[in-house]
Amino acid sequence: MDTRQDDLRRDLDATLQARKELGKEYEDELVDSFMKRLDARLDARVERSVAQRMDDYERPYHHRDQRPRRQGWGKRSGNGLAVVSMVLGIPLTAIATSPGSGGFAGLMVCWAGIVGVNVAAAFGERRNREERRPRSDWD
């Protein structure tokens, strides 16, 4: 076992020993205390893992095109924005068409905003793609 598991086992043993000494009336407080320490350890471990991944991603690259591209739900994923827009569009439609909220006009304003955000994102992505494309004398 590594030292982290040894420390965790010692904390658990100490908590169980304290329960034996203090009795059942302090059981909830002891369990809460142990869980807080466990949560803090997990949070620290996740933060270290994220920091390590960010360091791996942020390593300096000699050329701009050598940087790994994000895929899926990353920063430049047009599909991600479209899916989120559709998911958010459903409750926004219900709110916009509810009595006293605007009816059909509210529905049109709601979806015009959703379409506008998606169109702006698509044009921004297209512009970024064109900026990254190498230029020739013929352009």
Side-chain angles (χ1 to χ4, degrees):
M1 271 194 249
D2 65 353
T3 58
R4 286 183 290 210
Q5 286 184 340
D6 289 340
D7 290 343
L8 186 60
R9 183 174 296 276
R10 276 194 295 272
D11 278 352
L12 181 58
D13 288 340
T15 301
L16 292 173
Q17 188 64 32
R19 184 205 175 262
K20 286 179 187 177
E21 292 175 10
L22 297 174
K24 284 192 171 194
E25 58 270 4
Y26 290 102
E27 186 172 312
D28 290 339
E29 289 83 5
L30 291 169
V31 170
D32 287 342
S33 173
F34 177 75
M35 292 305 293
K36 285 179 185 176
R37 289 191 306 262
L38 183 60
D39 282 344
R41 284 188 180 157
L42 288 174
D43 288 344
R45 190 171 183 182
V46 168
E47 286 177 14
R48 280 193 307 269
S49 178
V50 168
Q52 181 181 3
R53 287 184 183 234
M54 291 303 293
D55 287 344
D56 291 346
Y57 183 76
E58 295 294 329
R59 260 190 230 128
Y61 291 92
H62 298 294
H63 191 267
R64 185 176 183 188
D65 293 334
Q66 291 177 345
R67 176 170 245 171
R69 294 188 181 227
R70 289 182 167 189
Q71 295 185 9
W73 294 90
K75 183 178 178 184
R76 302 222 183 264
S77 175
N79 292 336
L81 179 61
V83 170
V84 169
S85 295
M86 293 305 293
V87 169
L88 291 177
I90 295 168
L92 288 175
T93 298
I95 293 168
T97 58
S98 65
S101 293
F104 185 72
L107 176 71
M108 297 310 292
V109 169
C110 172
W111 278 98
I114 292 171
V115 169
V117 167
N118 281 281
V119 168
F123 280 124
E125 175 63 27
R126 183 176 178 189
R127 191 186 80 216
N128 288 339
R129 211 174 321 131
E130 287 175 358
E131 287 175 359
R132 289 190 303 251
R133 186 180 63 169
R135 300 282 182 189
S136 69
D137 291 338
W138 297 97
D139 285 341

